[in-house]
Amino acid sequence: MTETRPSATTPDAYVLGVDSGGSGLRVALGRAGSDGPLSTAVCAEPVRTGTGGIDAAHLLEQLLPVAAELLERAAAGGGRPANGPAGEGPTASGPTRCGPTGVGPTASGPTRDGSVRVAALAVGAAGMATLGGRLRAELPGALSAALGVRRLALAADAVTAYAGAVGQRPGAVVAGGTGMIALGTDLVEWRRADGWGHLLGDNGSGAWIGRAGLEAAMRAHDGRRGGSPALLDRLRAVFGPAEELPGLLYPRSDRPAVLASFAPEVAACAGADAIAAEILRRAGVHIAETAAAVCPKDGAEADGGCEVALTGGLFRMGEPLIGPVREELARLVPQARVTTGTGDPLTGALRIARALATDDLRLPHHPTMLSVQNTQNGSASSGCAATTARNGGPGPDDVPAHGAS
């Protein structure tokens, strides 16, 4: 007997969200008509990036077996929802983890024969905007053939962070960790600020805070004005003798992460050390300036103000950092409302997939930040997306809406 496959608009249709970042690949399986994931998976190996950009074959090597297992488990478990947010904690049937070569059934198992179809899939990836050419060229056909994917969205990780924190409303998101980037939209176009790396920007980021803290420590070591003995003590506890720090730091290829590793030390000292507190205050001002650059202005007051969601591990520093952000943003953009984003990029990817499956994707299309493709009969379609964005009507795939850049 041939199984009846749910259409892309039925609540039972399966959707997949994927988050690919520096810490690995995460996958969430859900239903088009239900919030939250049915189950999630974590692959600890980051997807490789080479001279040709993000390695599409390596992403597929990890994704396809895990997706097949998640689909199998959902069918066996009756589609019970997970207990927590996507990508956090154990799922209803326990977390799935994959090693370097993946786990579970291969892509030629229960999905390739057509018994299970995935209505929509969204991939959010770090570096998608500048390094995602191979993903845009190779994933549509491969995912259609292996999983029956009909609709595919390929997004920058800042876009999935936005969808996870804000949803599909006008607003802005600031994603803060080792680096710093802000993204905003009025649902007509995207606006981006910073995210230029620790040498050219990322002002207010973990790397910026850590570097400023280490500079204050070295000033104290030298006896220069503006030094912090408290931070010098923390430098010695973390890295050893201060005079040896340049030799430890400069040869490292992961300098931003090393710098950012000192940011929690700055936060820990801020309650009793004026220099550390001032570093966090200046970081908050930088973050507010970045958010103000992307916050939609037109019509924001009528909609209750511009929501600015703060997301990422940096903001676990709490009020010593968030307080200055709120104060400076109130001065720069009086209609801004600072919130703490509750959903992570994996949540955002699943939300985009769900919206894509139900013809409700309102976030603006963009050739590199949010590329939407339909697949028909196992091949990628180069026609118009089936999604209608509330930005003046549907547009061709990979064409920026109203000149978005």
Side-chain angles (χ1 to χ4, degrees):
M1 182 176 67
T2 303
E3 179 181 339
T4 301
R5 303 183 189 110
S7 71
T9 55
T10 64
D12 288 340
Y14 286 114
V15 294
L16 281 166
V18 179
D19 174 45
S20 175
S23 59
L25 188 78
R26 300 187 300 155
V27 186
L29 176 71
R31 298 276 195 184
S34 304
D35 291 333
L38 298 173
S39 53
T40 61
V42 178
C43 299
E45 182 183 4
V47 175
R48 290 190 294 264
T49 299
T51 55
I54 301 171
D55 190 333
H58 190 220
L59 187 148
L60 289 166
E61 175 186 311
Q62 297 193 68
L63 170 60
L64 294 181
V66 170
E69 179 171 343
L70 292 179
L71 289 163
E72 244 191 9
R73 291 171 64 180
R80 295 172 296 172
N83 293 323
E88 296 183 7
T91 64
S93 54
T96 296
R97 295 187 178 273
C98 60
T101 57
V103 298
T106 64
S108 59
T111 53
R112 186 182 289 277
D113 65 7
S115 61
V116 177
R117 294 274 179 171
V118 176
L121 190 154
V123 177
M128 178 72 78
T130 54
L131 300 170
R134 288 178 61 181
L135 298 187
R136 289 184 285 272
E138 299 177 30
L139 289 192
L143 292 172
S144 177
L147 299 174
V149 174
R150 294 166 178 163
R151 303 176 184 193
L152 173 67
L154 300 176
D157 57 345
V159 171
T160 52
Y162 183 97
V166 180
Q168 295 202 88
R169 303 185 304 276
V173 65
V174 180
T178 297
M180 174 69 62
I181 187 170
L183 194 68
T185 183
D186 53 6
L187 301 187
V188 175
E189 65 178 2
W190 292 106
R191 295 180 182 273
R192 167 190 169 161
D194 214 335
W196 306 124
H198 74 294
L199 293 179
L200 299 177
D202 286 354
N203 293 326
S205 67
W208 186 95
I209 292 171
R211 190 210 59 79
L214 290 171
E215 179 189 353
M218 297 306 292
R219 284 178 173 272
H221 175 268
D222 295 345
R224 290 179 287 153
R225 187 175 61 179
S228 166
L231 291 175
L232 177 58
D233 288 342
R234 297 314 306 152
L235 183 159
R236 289 168 174 158
V238 174
F239 295 107
E243 58 272 17
E244 295 180 7
L245 180 61
L248 293 173
L249 178 64
Y250 292 143
R252 297 281 293 265
S253 60
D254 59 344
R255 283 188 299 276
V258 176
L259 293 172
S261 71
F262 196 70
E265 305 294 338
V266 178
C269 291
D273 184 77
I275 298 296
E278 175 62 16
I279 290 172
L280 292 190
R281 190 198 67 80
R282 287 190 287 127
V285 170
H286 283 308
I287 294 167
E289 291 172 344
T290 303
V294 303
C295 194
K297 308 296 191 300
D298 296 338
E301 296 87 345
D303 295 334
C306 171
E307 178 181 0
V308 178
L310 307 180
T311 184
L314 183 69
F315 297 106
R316 287 197 288 268
M317 291 183 181
E319 194 61 21
L321 177 64
I322 296 176
V325 174
R326 190 182 296 111
E327 292 172 9
E328 182 67 11
L329 198 54
R331 189 183 70 81
L332 297 174
V333 186
Q335 72 272 22
R337 294 181 296 107
V338 177
T339 64
T340 301
T342 56
D344 65 3
L346 183 59
T347 301
L350 195 60
R351 285 178 176 173
I352 290 173
R354 186 174 290 118
L356 194 58
T358 57
D359 292 333
D360 190 38
L361 184 60
R362 287 163 277 168
L363 298 175
H365 296 195
H366 186 275
T368 59
M369 295 183 68
L370 181 57
S371 171
V372 177
Q373 299 192 44
N374 281 355
T375 57
Q376 299 292 336
N377 301 320
S379 62
S381 167
S382 59
C384 293
T387 302
T388 300
R390 294 181 185 174
N391 55 11
D397 290 338
D398 293 343
V399 174
H402 295 274
S405 58

